[in-house]
Amino acid sequence: MEYPNSLPRPAEELEKLEKVWEPPRGFRMFSAVNNNYVGVYYVGASFLFFILAGVLALIVRTQLAVPENELVGHELYNQLFTMHGTVMMFLFAVPAVEAMGVLLLPNMLGARDLPFPRLSAYAFWAYFAGGLAFFCSIFFGLAPNGGWFMYPPLTSMEFSPGLNADFWLLGIGFIEISAIAGAIEIIVGIMKTRAPGMSLDKLPVYAWAMLVFAGMIVFGFPAVILATALLELERAFDWPFFLADRGGDPVLWQHLFWFFGHPEVYIIFLPAAGMVSMIVPAMARTPLVAYRLVVLALLATGFLSFGLWVHHMYTTGIPPLSLSFFSAASMAVAIPSGIQVFAWIATFAAGRIQFKVPTLFVLGFLFIFTLGGLTGVMVALVPFDWQAHDTYFVVAHLHYVLIGGMVFPLFAAFYYWIPIVSERPLSERLGKWVFWLLFIGVNVTFFTMHITGLAGMPRRVYTYPENVSWGALNMVSTLGSYMIAAGVLVFVIDMFRNFRPFTGKNAGNVWNAGTLEWLPSGNYQTRSIPHVTSREPLWDQPKLAHDVVAGRYYLPGAPTGGRETIITSPIDARPQYLLKLPGSSWGPFLGALFTAAFFMSLVVKLYMVGLALGALAIAMIIWWMWDTDPETRDHPIKVGDEVELPINVVGPASHSWWGTVVLILVGATLFTCLVFSYLYLWLVNGEIWLPETHQLPELVWFVVPTALFLASSAAVVFAGRQASQLPRVNPWFLRAAVFLAIPLMMAGLATAIYADWHVGLRPSESSYGAVVYMFSVVQGVYVAALTLMGLFVLARSLTGRLSASRRASLDNTALLWHYMTAQGVIGLTLTHFFPRLMGLS
Ligand code: HEM
Ligand SMILES: [Cu+2]
């Protein structure tokens, strides 16, 4: 084929590329933003939380080893198992798979980096700092103790006074926000930074899995963010969302929680399945059997898993028709998982297997996960579930699924992929020890729990009497857990002996795999960005690695003098423009620390300190946003002898437009969950929800805020029109329009709140009042954010950073602005007309 670039390359080209991508040294490593640094930190931090939560599990198991043990006592035990479950799920499992994505995806897609490196860095540091602070609550006896799903009324103020539950609510709500930031990065990265030619049909299965994973975060996590916000408002300001005596309903929490919580299981499992789909072909030395079916299975699982949340709530009195719908959906989701398992087995059968450590972990995964699936079928049978519910049988089942479905694939992935970030691969000999200790340990620990469970031992009890004869089984189980710990210890030793990241070198393609992450790479990833023509380019083009290193493909140097990558079209990956990437910066690190501190001060109710910290966090974000949206040059940049790309395009082609659209989807999901809560509370508590004596505001109070929101959007539209005619028109028209839009929007919010207030509605009197004011709370978040963004746009215009071709800040602000208006109008329409329509008032 024709190569984009001719050889030989100019002598200084590689030197310049290396210089531009040179990572910071010493303590400035905290300011690194590129993925091969942040990705490694991120994976490391999540593993640290795995160990910390594991230590908690060991204490739990030690406590349970013998009957009538008084090692930790009742209250601490509750905190221990709550923290163990919470940390494992929220600080280990989700971040670990997200971290692997940040680390692997750029290499796998043939990109220099994902499109928002500073956002990744910010998300990581926020998670790490916030997570550590959250974990430390256990040392002060302040850790939450209501179990990892935190059901009210147990977690309401009445039964959980003190700060423990607040730590959970604010800590987890905040960490989910960081997970969403990572998901936006991953979606836009997969859609827009693939190597030229890597059409969706040639996308590695792992990237597909991560796309579904990130999409599920976008549609799943807002539910739990809303739920935590509602419960926190109830606890802090007595807004009765979940208190039945004032029209609330504790089951609303369960709906919102499981609408996130069930997909959560697949959010953890799908990336692991994606990893396995990469490891199996490499270890079998043959392409994955039924690529398209596997991709379809991933998409189907993602889609179906959202219809299943109710199966965690069979005992809450669901109507029979919806019961049968949800059980049918629960069974349907087994089909796509089955397809993947068959595809892996067929691939192993078709190839010649290399029996290395990653292969062992994949086989261990298949074994343990299948057993977990079988007990899953058992608990799906209603009479059996009735017996096993809340016993150790369920603890056994859930650990088989989680450890089999996620921990084993993760270890396979560690052993498989570490050669691309470390100068040395991990040891095969020690790896076998790790595998057998973990495999035997897990089965010893958890298989016995099936039996203790059937013998009637309930979960979440801190001890049990002598005479029930659960003692021997529990002792075995505890010994097993020490075996697991020994396995993890050997792994850590292996890491100390062999893991050498950040040296600028790596061990290379040790397994002879076929996908792009195995191209020789430096801090800049690949020397030149290949043109992809198949799913396993390294197998199909034997000279590819050589040509890439020689600089024959796209972007062999750093033509703009800074970091850059190629942005391609979402479906068929045609090159669209050259994106200038940021270098190291302190903004994300400091911004994240301030954000974490902000949330922690909310927990301890230091609202003024929180305000100051929040302002600092925002200042950091503005600081780093300031140099995005660079000056476009008139002449395009050469990325090949004959291939030229523009810099920085406007509108839907641009990566920041995509980022904003995904953010809007997040917001829209949260808003939909709020609408659901409103209707749900009406449905279950209709009679006391809206007292008949209550007067709705006159309709003029619908018209005025609606008109104000619409007018503010119109002003923003006008500003956009003006911007596209710059420099022919006077920039002061644009500035005046943006400046006017802000008070219009604020007035819209203020009148909406006043409308409810002046008819005597109060948020703490009834769940109706609480949920109606909640619409304004959500709207208020947008008003605050858009005020800042509007001022930001103004500042850019005043300093000459806004023009017809350099206007991403204005365009993205406008997108979000119109969304805010739409959300406001829908909320107003619902709260004003629904009660009238139902004849409630
Ligand atoms: C590494 C070995 C592990 C051991 C020995 C272990 C042990 C335990 C035990 C004994 C309980 C029951 C506590 C009780 O009900 O009183 C428990 C609960 C739990 N574990 Fe683990 N676990 C391990 C790994 C994991 C992993 C990897 C995950 C998730 C990725 C996980 C997630 C959970 C969850 C969600 C609960 C439920 C907590 C609750 O009831 O609120 N565990 N674990
Ligand atoms: Cu479920």
Side-chain angles (χ1 to χ4, degrees), residues 122 125-127 129-131 133 174 591-601 613 617:
Y122 173 80
W125 289 111
Y127 145 74
F174 162 60
L593 292 195
F594 289 134
T595 315
F598 163 74
F599 274 91
M600 284 305 144
S601 46
L613 288 164

Side-chain angles (χ1 to χ4, degrees), residues 723-747:
S724 47
Q725 291 172 36
L726 287 173
R728 278 177 290 118
V729 293
N730 187 335
W732 282 102
F733 287 122
L734 176 167
R735 292 169 195 162
V738 174
F739 193 70
L740 185 68
I742 296 174
L744 282 172
M745 161 181 74
M746 287 178 166

